[in-house]
Amino acid sequence: MDDPDAVDRADAERRDAADPLAGFRDRFATPDGERYMDGNSLGLAPAAAEASVERVVDEWRDLAIRGWEAADPDWFSYAEQLSDRLAPLVGAREGEVAVANSTTVNVHTLVGSFLDQLPGTPAGSDPAGEAPAVVVNELDFPTDHYAVRAQLRQRGIDPEGKLAVVESRDGRTVRAADVEATLDERDDAGIVFMPSVLYRSGQLLDVERIAAAAHEAGALAGFDCAHSVGVVDHDLHGAGVDFAVWCSYKYLNAGPGATAGLYVHERHHDVTPALAGWWGHEKATQFEMRGEYTPAADAGRWQVGTPPLLSTAPLSGALDVLEEAGVDRVRRKSVALTDYLIDLVDERLPDAFAVGTPRDPDRRGGHVAVEHPDGYRLSEALRDRGVVVDFRPPNVVRVCPSPLYTRFVDVWDVVETVRKVVETDAHLDYETRGGGVT
Ligand SMILES: *Cc1c(COP(=O)(O)O)cnc(C)c1O
């Protein structure tokens, strides 16, 4: 206790006492005795989000159809109001963000819309030119590849040749230099579509550098920010990013399947949406029900159908909390938590453990990949001991200390639980195979 640098639980308590965001934990449903480290898959429920969804339920019951205008906020502009609030979180200008659809649907509509802009789309349309390629990476979240392949195929473009997959050298990270090398090697790159943070290792990619490289090569730059929005501060407009997508149920804490978000740089607000729908119509005339399609003049044009209000409303309350905390402070605490976690893994766990996340905080998102050959059984044993983490094959236990509700003592307790499990071989009592949702 006398040594201020002592590695013990009291040290974690001191860090919590000095944490300016400590009070935000009370705004969330944090089950007693549980160490929840899965906020990068599904953020915990803020009471304010429960309240905002209950409000819409009440309005549905009391106002029925009148809710589109008479609810507060009115349902007709609900998504637009949230879009204005999300713009500063991603460094977008007014009109560049839309709260709409799901992440995967947004990948479809944006990649499809931008492919349609490129020479050589659809395949064979430009006898002088080749069809465009989409540059992705080997470690992407699978849905991104599924959607991009489908959009290529729909334009007669063979994904075998035109999905250009940048390889990882270490199975954990992707080097910007390797993205640049791919762009140097091929002259058909039309879109570079990368994640901001890799879902498994937690590497934060250099968005600005990759966007600049894409533009240098004459390609567009798109990003999947599902693992960074709400925990990493972004400057999408400043970096010249052409488009981006993200979900609202990870660090935005808006609940399972909550309505997702997208960003499109203002220079592209004349692009025709690939998945056109009446909710992307110009608002002033939407209800005139014209046969002619006049898309909204901003990113709102990438909305498709009626926003699912019950899945959109929780974002309102969740943003109240995040706005009050401020994403800059959230990012600072996130880095402090992951630094602390990495130090404890190094100091307190046996050599069989490795940290798969970059140690440079500027290259790290909000979670840490703790690697162990028995990762699956370990994550099961941890769950039974009140530590909620998830496992990603082949050997990664993802540990996410989400800054709005995770304390430094939680991080300490998690590492101590891991240490005790492996010390006693308790994880060997579990089955080795995976399956189901983790
Ligand atoms: C979570 C996540 C998604 C999820 O997409 P949904 O359409 O919401 O299922 C997509 N991409 C990445 C990178 C993610 O982390």
Side-chain angles (χ1 to χ4, degrees), residues 352-374:
F353 285 89
V355 171
T357 306
R359 285 162 187 274
D360 173 1
D362 290 340
R363 297 274 63 88
R364 193 158 77 222
H367 72 273
V368 173
V370 178
E371 300 174 355
H372 187 274
D374 255 334

Side-chain angles (χ1 to χ4, degrees), residues 102-104 141 143-144 199 224 226-227 247 249-250:
S102 70
T103 309
T104 304
F141 195 87
T143 205
D144 290 353
Y199 79 98
D224 184 336
H227 260 82
C247 69
Y249 50 81
K250 292 170 180 167

Side-chain angles (χ1 to χ4, degrees), residues 20 86 94 104 160 243 263 332 393 437:
L86 269 163
E94 203 185 316
T104 304
E160 286 318 308
F243 67 93
Y263 151 93
R332 228 171 297 140
V437 178

